Amino acid sequence: MFKNRKDAGEKLAKALEKYRIENPIILAIPRGGVEVGLQVAAKLNTDFSLIISRKLPFPDNPEAGFGAVAENGSTFILENAHNWLSGETIERIKQEQIAEIERRIKALRGGNSLSELEGRTVILIDDGIAMGSTMRAAIELCKNRKARKIVVAVPVAGVEVAEELQKIVDELVVLEIPAYFRAVAQAYERWYDVSDEEVLDLLRENIRKKELKDQEFHELET
């Protein structure tokens, strides 16, 4: 059990310490993965950015999904999705989520392009994995961008999704795999939906800390 996302990020960072020497880039899936990822990036003293991936929700049950799409168009769709939805409906929902991805890129990443991934060790982070669709789409993006190594790291995940993800990445790091897993929220004492504004506050605070650290280093050098 984690107190909150900050606590989960600190614990996850310890499990990822061995990657410090590889100068990885931490890519967090917003919104929930941002605070977790920032803690890891701070502890490993490495690059951090956001990777935007969105669940493709069922029209009559938005909490459930039949796949996901990432910001470069990389898509993961469950094999039997076409048994439930028409191709036209699937495409409409996909385009709706692509529009939301574009909004988030502007709102949360200032419209900036995703960092260069080719030849790098990429650590993909979220606050937990339920179905795993958004993470799968993010993994596909990293493969398309020719990442040298792909590591998925999360505080909590279910048994089945962990086993499936382990087959398609270089390493999977999961701190807790509950025997009876219902939702990511069950692993946290304090759980809530994160807003765009909170993500921006976290990113601003991260920049401020880096600037202070750089200033202190410069003063020591001089």
Side-chain angles (χ1 to χ4, degrees), residues 66-80:
F66 59 88
V69 59
E71 59 183 270
N72 70 334
S74 294
T75 306
F76 167 76
I77 294 180
L78 295 174
E79 288 182 11
N80 49 1

Side-chain angles (χ1 to χ4, degrees), residues 137-150:
I139 290 166
E140 192 61 31
L141 183 157
C142 294
K143 289 182 176 181
N144 289 338
R145 295 290 180 90
K146 296 181 170 57
R148 184 180 69 84
K149 182 185 291 184
I150 301 173

Side-chain angles (χ1 to χ4, degrees), residues 8-20:
E10 290 172 347
K11 290 174 178 173
L12 195 58
K14 292 178 182 177
L16 295 167
E17 179 63 35
K18 67 180 181 180
Y19 285 105
R20 180 191 294 269

Side-chain angles (χ1 to χ4, degrees), residues 20 47 52 59 64 67 71 82 84 116 120 122 141 146 151 163 170 174 177 194 203 209-210:
R20 180 191 294 269
D47 296 336
I52 317 296
E71 59 183 270
H82 289 278
W84 307 317
E116 180 61 48
R120 296 200 68 176
V122 174
L141 183 157
K146 296 181 170 57
V151 179
E163 289 175 350
D170 294 289
V174 184
I177 301 179
V194 181
L203 296 174
K209 286 179 179 177
K210 276 190 171 181

Side-chain angles (χ1 to χ4, degrees), residues 1 4 10-12 59 62 70 81 83 91 98 105 114 119 147-148 155 167 192 199 217:
M1 177 71 74
N4 48 37
E10 290 172 347
K11 290 174 178 173
L12 195 58
N83 295 335
E91 185 59 29
I98 287 173
I105 289 173
L114 186 64
R148 184 180 69 84
K167 298 172 185 175
Y192 60 93
V199 169
F217 180 77

